Amino acid sequence: MWTSFLPLALLAPFADALLRFPCSQLVTQRFDPLVTPGQVSPHIHQIIGGIMANPHLRSATIECVGAFYFIARSQLFTLWHRFNLSMDPSLDLSSLATCTTCRFKEDNSNYWTAVMFFKHPNGSYIRVPQIANAATGAPNGGMTVYYIQPQSGERVTAFRKGFRMIVGNPMLRTRTVDPNSAQGRALTFRCWGAQGANDPQAQSAPGTGPLDTIELPNRACAGGIRSNTFFPSCWDGVNLDTPDHSSHVAYPLGTVPAAGLFFNPGACPSTHPVRLPLLFMETVWDTRPFNSMWPTDGSQPFVFSMGDPTGYGHHGDYVFGWEGDSLQRAMDTCTDIGGNPPSCRALTVLSDADINRCTQSVQVNERTTGYLPALPGCNPIQPGPAQATMPASCDAVSTTGGIGGSVPTPPPAPGTTQVPPAPGTTLAPPPPPPAPTQPPAPQAPAVPKWGQCGGIGWTGGTTCVAGSTCQRQNDW
Ligand SMILES: *[C@@H]1O[C@H](CO)[C@@H](O)[C@H](O)[C@H]1NC(C)=O
Ligand SMILES: *[C@@H]1O[C@H](CO)[C@@H](O)[C@H](O)[C@H]1NC(C)=O
């Protein structure tokens, strides 16, 4: 099956092979705890990987929680998803995860990228569905993740607890690096022909073939578009993260060979001497349903969620979350040339049903599906070539209805009109809610987060502090 990705001739140089596995989609919403901790992020990401049970879960019955429900194995859990708005790096996230959308049970990492939208000729936007990659089983969307050993056979050092990094820059709208450098080949797109991954032209390694471009393809792709996202594979050996989330890692030196980054023999620079597994992600966008609606002026109609119609702003984020030393063990012992998951005895393989059952509900109170008048958040289309800028003011939802946020603003009362803010001004606070017709009954003090707020025989307060809501755990 691997031959549908890379010809065997190309694989021959591999010394220690790789892991290749699907992770289904966990959630798609405006979250980005690396770049905008504690806030709703400017644009939508699709997130894959691990999820975490609420570490604050008490035996108390009905609690004020800023969380959401997740149903797994017939039990109702209130989860405090570890992909929350802050992600404390000191926690051992892997030990707190209750499920993962990745094929290996040990992998509770999170991976995320921007999502693609189709801009209809009438100006509306709709999300481009994601489909499973070839030979990955039947994950629900998501991505294919690779951890690749260097061609040299040099031993890799697995990422550590607390490690995180970002590749790419969502504000870019033009090429800024040498396309033959490793960095210049890190983020590419493959325009699939009608046979998808089986197309004879699609047999080259990612980022190298005649179907691959650094910008979004300028033609309708009969089989869809695959994003290829390579992370830097050299580490400074010291910092688990840096303020820009990227200067603790670097690309190998030298010019990338024709066979691409998979087979890059480049050495790590002296500033970043520690060789990491080459982390690589593929995302398959099912652009096929939109090909018949291609604009008559020939312009390509796909945009990323940050208002990027070029593809240069494509980016990927990684937060390590493998259990214990499982990734290191896998890198040391799993040598299947195609990275086929069952061949890696060091790890536990989950079924498609297992990974597809692990999902999170959207917490940002906005619509992101169906035809939309604009991209969610404040993401006007900025075609460049200048770097994109953040709009000075923005009336998009900036809090969640649950975690860490305030209760969503109620819709305006019928008959009132809302005056749009003048550009550059900040939003006035929302109008106060209409006065209740009955005077409110005297209220018990608001129940703090994680406090009990109901249950059989409960006589205490039932109103939660702002930012949390009363949710049922059980009746007692
Ligand atoms: C995020 O999750 C951690 C546990 O992983 C928790 O300690 C923290 O309070 C949460 N913060 C927010 C803002 O959700
Ligand atoms: C654009 O077309 C789509 C698909 O027919 C439709 O759902 C959407 O409402 C249209 N938008 C506008 C602004 O007419």
Side-chain angles (χ1 to χ4, degrees):
M1 291 223 263
W2 175 255
T3 50
S4 65
F5 302 93
L6 297 175
L8 279 173
L10 275 181
L11 285 167
F14 262 110
D16 288 311
L18 68 157
L19 298 177
R20 175 184 189 268
F21 57 93
C23 301
S24 63
Q25 192 155 298
L26 182 61
V27 65
T28 296
Q29 64 178 345
R30 280 199 294 130
F31 261 30
D32 189 337
L34 276 192
V35 177
T36 51
Q39 297 163 29
V40 171
S41 74
H43 54 265
I44 293 199
H45 291 112
Q46 51 150 341
I47 299 147
I48 59 172
I51 193 169
M52 185 186 80
N54 174 4
H56 305 279
L57 198 65
R58 302 212 201 121
S59 54
T61 59
I62 302 186
E63 293 181 320
C64 285
V65 291
F68 48 90
Y69 281 127
F70 171 74
I71 299 184
R73 300 191 177 93
S74 316
Q75 267 189 293
L76 196 59
F77 293 104
T78 299
L79 289 188
W80 185 269
H81 180 242
R82 82 177 186 67
F83 191 93
N84 68 14
L85 293 175
S86 64
M87 291 224 286
D88 179 352
S90 67
L91 290 169
D92 184 0
L93 301 176
S94 66
S95 69
L96 295 166
T98 54
C99 71
T100 177
T101 76
C102 294
R103 180 67 84 215
F104 294 119
K105 183 171 177 292
E106 291 81 359
D107 185 12
N108 296 297
S109 306
N110 283 113
Y111 312 79
W112 64 100
T113 64
V115 298
M116 191 186 278
F117 282 83
F118 168 70
K119 185 178 183 187
H120 192 281
N122 71 14
S124 297
Y125 296 86
I126 189 166
R127 243 176 66 204
V128 175
Q130 286 170 242
I131 46 173
N133 205 349
T136 55
N140 171 28
M143 303 185 229
T144 309
V145 176
Y146 296 66
Y147 287 81
I148 305 160
Q149 305 267 11
Q151 191 196 5
S152 62
E154 185 185 341
R155 183 169 188 261
V156 297
T157 301
F159 307 97
R160 304 218 172 124
K161 189 185 113 183
F163 185 93
R164 58 259 322 263
M165 62 178 164
I166 292 182
V167 58
N169 175 353
M171 309 309 258
L172 285 187
R173 297 292 183 270
T174 190
R175 177 182 297 175
T176 54
V177 288
D178 173 2
N180 294 317
S181 67
Q183 190 178 358
R185 292 289 187 86
L187 301 167
T188 57
F189 302 98
R190 175 159 293 181
C191 181
W192 266 343
Q195 295 172 68
N198 297 320
D199 191 294
Q201 282 195 291
Q203 302 310 301
S204 56
T208 63
L211 305 178
D212 291 5
T213 50
I214 295 175
E215 55 288 311
L216 275 169
N218 62 3
R219 60 191 192 281
C221 302
I225 298 173
R226 193 188 69 202
S227 304
N228 308 314
T229 309
F230 286 98
F231 286 85
S233 55
C234 302
W235 179 40
D236 69 11
V238 178
N239 297 294
L240 297 172
D241 195 7
T242 42
D244 63 1
H245 310 295
S246 57
S247 49
H248 56 317
V249 287
Y251 288 96
L253 299 168
T255 297
V256 177
L261 277 173
F262 261 78
F263 307 101
N264 186 10
C268 282
S270 59
T271 50
H272 296 77
V274 180
R275 177 71 76 166
L276 299 166
L278 172 56
L279 179 60
F280 173 57
M281 309 190 299
E282 291 172 332
T283 314
V284 184
W285 307 101
D286 190 5
T287 53
R288 294 172 299 180
F290 307 105
N291 285 347
S292 61
M293 294 185 265
W294 198 265
T296 46
D297 69 2
S299 61
Q300 81 81 20
F302 299 105
V303 299
F304 279 105
S305 48
M306 58 283 184
D308 175 20
T310 67
Y312 291 114
H314 178 55
H315 57 286
D317 297 44
Y318 175 59
V319 173
F320 171 83
W322 287 76
E323 279 172 37
D325 67 346
S326 55
L327 179 60
Q328 186 71 57
R329 278 187 289 116
M331 297 315 293
D332 291 347
T333 60
C334 297
T335 55
D336 183 66
I337 207 160
N340 190 26
S343 73
C344 183
R345 299 285 159 82
L347 299 174
T348 316
V349 171
L350 298 175
S351 69
D352 285 334
D354 290 332
I355 66 174
N356 289 338
R357 197 161 39 217
C358 187
T359 59
Q360 181 192 353
S361 44
V362 170
Q363 296 165 71
V364 181
N365 188 27
E366 67 186 354
R367 195 161 72 86
T368 60
T369 54
Y371 273 100
L372 307 170
L375 295 173
C378 294
N379 294 287
I381 303 299
Q382 298 185 66
Q387 281 217 9
T389 53
M390 289 281 200
S393 79
C394 170
D395 59 0
V397 176
S398 61
T399 57
T400 67
I403 289 180
S406 59
V407 178
T409 309
T416 63
T417 50
Q418 277 195 324
V419 182
T425 61
T426 51
L427 272 185
T437 48
Q438 301 276 321
Q443 293 273 307
V447 178
K449 224 174 202 181
W450 316 115
Q452 184 165 356
C453 55
I456 292 173
W458 176 249
T459 55
T462 56
T463 308
C464 301
V465 294
S468 65
T469 55
C470 192
Q471 294 189 357
R472 178 177 172 274
Q473 313 270 3
N474 57 53
D475 289 331
W476 302 273

